[in-house]
Amino acid sequence: MPTTRCPAAPTYPADPTPPIPETLAYSLTLPAAPASAALARATTREVLRAHGLTDMLDPALQAVGELTSVAAQFTESSNYYLTLRYRFSTLRLIAYDSHPRHTSPHLATACDTRRRAALRVLACVCRACDGTWGFGEAREPGGGTRMWATLPRASAAAYGAP
């Protein structure tokens, strides 16, 4: 019986270009546990440092902490998903959890009120940075809820300044 060999995997040379803000694009799957918010903040801190965005650390870490804490609280699965992207001089943070939108209007309103209250610090951070935030139904096939924050670099760099 002839043996069939697997074709050799293509070799991709390592990109020697150091990270820059415009190449910041990371996704994390995190366990739905209280400690995951700290892991997400630590990862975000290192990613922002590597990409030369340390001037955005304070509001970005606050926003990631808020998004991931709420995602861990609301998800109905064993994990949730976080993405970090930098495009057009703006840091975009998105957390996906598996909590579905309620079909009952009363339950949907109560759930949205609870989620909005849990994200009140995020709202303050985004307002101080001229950013945006929100939540809604996830468009991904798995459904659930998508929460986001955008932080423009210029105003985020001035976060907390008198």
Side-chain angles (χ1 to χ4, degrees):
M1 175 190 274
T3 58
T4 305
R5 294 181 175 253
C6 291
T11 303
Y12 296 103
D15 184 356
T17 309
I20 59 172
E22 290 73 20
T23 61
L24 190 152
Y26 294 84
S27 299
L28 306 165
T29 301
L30 297 156
S36 292
L39 292 171
R41 286 190 310 270
T43 301
T44 300
R45 179 181 295 111
E46 293 309 312
V47 164
L48 292 177
R49 284 183 179 154
H51 287 270
L53 293 167
T54 57
D55 53 344
M56 301 182 74
L57 273 175
D58 289 342
L61 295 179
Q62 186 67 54
V64 165
E66 295 296 312
L67 288 169
T68 55
S69 293
V70 173
Q73 176 185 354
F74 276 83
T75 195
E76 295 178 358
S77 67
S78 60
N79 54 45
Y80 60 92
Y81 187 68
L82 174 69
T83 67
L84 311 166
R85 302 278 186 272
Y86 186 83
R87 300 289 181 272
F88 307 109
S89 299
T90 299
L91 182 64
R92 290 168 169 71
L93 310 165
I94 304 173
Y96 298 90
D97 65 65
S98 66
H99 186 78
R101 298 291 295 164
H102 296 280
T103 55
S104 160
H106 297 296
L107 284 176
T109 299
C111 190
D112 287 354
T113 300
R114 186 172 163 230
R115 192 179 287 264
R116 193 172 289 106
L119 293 168
R120 66 185 171 271
V121 173
L122 176 69
C124 293
V125 171
C126 289
R127 188 171 37 254
C129 294
D130 298 322
T132 62
W133 72 281
F135 59 89
E137 188 170 1
R139 295 177 288 235
E140 282 61 40
T145 302
R146 173 181 162 264
M147 299 178 290
W148 72 89
T150 63
L151 302 171
R153 186 174 186 180
S155 51
Y159 179 74

